[in-house]
Amino acid sequence: MAEDKLFNYYERQNVLPTFGNFKSSAELGAYAGQRRELFSDKLMLPQPLFRDAEVLEFGPDSGENALVFAGWGANMTLAEPNRHAHEKIQAYFAHFGLTGRLRELALSDVEGFRGDRRFDLIDAEGFIYTVQPSEKWLGIFHRLLNPDGYAVVSYYERYGGFFELALKAIHAAGKALTGRPAPETAKMLFEAKWNSIPHTRGFESWLMDVLENPFVRHRYFLDAGALCAAAHEQGFDIHSAWPAYRDSLDVYWHKKVLSDDEKLRRASRHLGRSRLSFLGGRKLYLVGNIEAVDAISASIEALVLDVDGMIDDPFGNCLPRVVSGLASLREAIPTSAILADDAAEIDAILATLDSFHRIFSAIGRRDASAVAALTQSDPAFINTWGQPAHFLVIRKRFEGS
């Protein structure tokens, strides 16, 4: 059954995907430290900015992020369409003595939110990519923000999401080859990979949140450059992003003022050269001529589309194209001009592509045992996640600026 919206999917599962079950101030404090690192050091939104700020969070789920913002002094308005989450949110705020910071808890999604109040910051993490087209939520945010206000979003980026889609395709093939149910197949294939990373949620939650999630698909993933262009047209400037959407190697006189159009042009050029970095989850910056950059970008785009096609049809026409596409990309990288920290980074992405090539080749042979053996033991497969989740902070321009 097709889901209308992401929150409908979670509501039907009767689970809260990000529930951390914090009980102590120490647990909340540790999580707040992680958020401080993200917002202050990576997104350039220091903690004091939240003091007495009016913050609207869309889709807070069980409310852990909202608790952190409230602890930093923000006045929180929360719009959560999943009614199962409301009791958890209210209990959390009461337990940590932050009820006074909870201005409103609305049963609403982005499109249904109503109100005349304006906010200093809007936060929408983990779901906003499913509200399409992006111009829809960008327009709503622009209406709700004060001039110079910020919007923080996280989303699945199209090129960074390749390996996430590849895991879904491998899972689909595993189910078809073994006839086992989804949870058992996922454990057979990915338990070692899952256990290799620190996490605050269970394996079953990841299964539901990624492997079985109908919204983790190419048709929903956003291209970073296209999103920045859409934000620009809606009256926003890029404030910050992680990974960085501005070329940190750019150098010019500090008194030189770039036009908004020029800022976008430079960001778009930088993002085009960053697609291999996004795919690999490490610095693999394409510094060659634009024709070479475009060729690698096109091969990555084709790979993403084909591996997405395998999710619906694991043994169809997309499978041989994925196998050949992985081989072609692997052959192109050693002869391309790439800026990396050291040769080990190049070796790592080559090993990763080799690993996935072996896995998809085993799928082509219908060899379930070989697929499972590779996914449970190959270090390159186990250690690779790509860079699927991107954070973007945009700032509402003053009218006439």
Side-chain angles (χ1 to χ4, degrees):
M1 176 175 154
E3 304 289 347
D4 179 39
K5 295 183 178 181
L6 184 59
F7 80 84
N8 295 134
Y9 170 70
Y10 289 124
E11 204 167 38
R12 293 183 198 280
Q13 307 297 323
N14 197 24
V15 294
L16 301 175
T18 64
F19 182 48
N21 198 24
F22 296 155
K23 293 183 173 66
S24 69
S25 296
E27 289 175 309
L28 178 58
Y31 184 67
Q34 296 174 11
R35 296 288 286 178
R36 187 182 304 111
E37 166 75 17
L38 170 63
F39 275 76
S40 294
D41 292 357
K42 294 182 175 69
L43 301 182
M44 307 305 162
L45 295 173
Q47 184 178 332
L49 183 145
F50 289 83
R51 193 172 299 132
D52 293 321
E54 295 296 327
V55 175
L56 168 61
E57 183 178 359
F58 285 112
D61 195 48
S62 46
E64 283 83 355
N65 293 343
L67 281 177
V68 172
F69 293 147
W72 292 347
N75 300 312
M76 299 302 302
T77 297
L78 305 181
E80 173 53 59
N82 186 347
R83 64 184 71 253
H84 301 310
H86 283 223
E87 184 178 348
K88 296 286 188 187
I89 292 170
Q90 291 166 330
Y92 254 158
F93 272 77
H95 180 75
F96 289 103
L98 293 168
T99 301
R101 289 290 180 182
L102 183 56
R103 285 207 189 277
E104 181 183 355
L105 176 55
L107 186 66
S108 174
D109 62 1
V110 172
E111 297 157 276
F113 185 77
R114 299 291 180 266
D116 296 326
R117 293 167 51 215
R118 297 293 178 267
F119 298 90
D120 302 307
L121 185 142
I122 294 174
D123 184 78
E125 299 181 37
F127 74 94
I128 200 67
Y129 70 99
T130 68
V131 181
Q132 296 193 359
S134 298
E135 286 81 0
K136 182 183 295 184
W137 57 263
L138 284 166
I140 293 170
F141 288 9
H142 194 273
R143 174 176 61 82
L144 291 170
L145 279 171
N146 290 317
D148 235 21
Y150 300 96
V152 182
V153 298
S154 68
Y155 68 96
Y156 269 108
E157 203 279 331
R158 181 169 296 168
Y159 300 92
F162 169 73
F163 289 119
E164 205 91 327
L165 294 175
L167 296 183
K168 288 171 70 78
I170 294 167
H171 186 236
K175 288 187 293 183
L177 288 170
T178 65
R180 296 178 181 178
E184 187 178 339
T185 304
K187 285 268 186 169
M188 177 189 78
L189 294 170
F190 305 130
E191 189 170 28
K193 185 176 182 65
W194 178 252
N195 290 336
S196 72
I197 60 170
H199 39 71
T200 58
R201 58 177 174 169
F203 184 88
E204 293 74 15
S205 177
W206 178 65
L207 169 70
M208 182 203 67
D209 208 24
V210 177
L211 297 180
E212 294 289 284
N213 191 335
F215 290 90
V216 180
R217 297 298 299 267
H218 175 271
R219 63 180 172 271
Y220 293 106
F221 289 5
L222 303 180
D223 174 83
L227 177 57
C228 289
H232 173 77
E233 291 299 319
Q234 292 285 329
F236 290 99
D237 290 323
I238 301 168
H239 174 74
S240 60
W242 190 259
Y245 285 9
R246 288 180 175 173
D247 182 2
S248 59
L249 297 179
D250 204 1
V251 177
Y252 55 86
W253 189 33
H254 72 280
K255 291 185 179 182
K256 181 178 180 179
V257 178
L258 301 180
S259 68
D260 295 331
D261 289 343
E262 177 61 16
K263 291 177 184 176
L264 177 65
R265 190 188 70 80
R266 294 187 181 206
S268 298
R269 183 179 59 195
H270 168 68
L271 290 168
R273 294 182 177 275
S274 299
R275 286 171 180 164
L276 186 62
S277 300
F278 294 166
L279 179 143
R282 49 174 51 91
K283 187 196 295 183
L284 299 165
Y285 196 70
L286 299 169
V287 294
N289 61 58
I290 194 61
E291 290 79 14
V293 172
D294 288 345
I296 287 183
S297 292
S299 68
I300 294 172
E301 173 71 14
L303 260 177
V304 173
L305 280 167
D306 285 330
V307 82
D308 182 80
M310 281 188 62
I311 298 169
D312 299 318
D313 186 6
F315 309 112
N317 294 333
C318 291
L319 173 56
R321 292 201 297 265
V322 169
V323 173
S324 63
L326 287 165
S328 296
L329 183 58
R330 195 253 182 256
E331 292 172 4
I333 287 174
T335 60
S336 300
I338 296 173
L339 175 63
D341 285 337
D342 52 49
E345 298 297 328
I346 303 291
D347 292 340
I349 188 61
L350 294 178
T352 297
L353 294 173
D354 284 339
S355 173
F356 277 80
H357 184 267
R358 287 192 292 270
I359 291 167
F360 282 100
S361 295
I363 291 173
R365 299 193 304 271
R366 312 297 199 271
D367 190 342
S369 296
V371 173
L374 287 165
T375 60
Q376 292 284 17
S377 64
D378 192 318
F381 173 82
I382 290 171
N383 295 327
T384 296
W385 296 88
Q387 190 71 41
H390 284 213
F391 280 81
L392 175 65
V393 182
I394 52 180
R395 185 179 62 251
K396 180 178 176 178
R397 289 195 292 266
F398 277 106
E399 296 297 331
S401 65

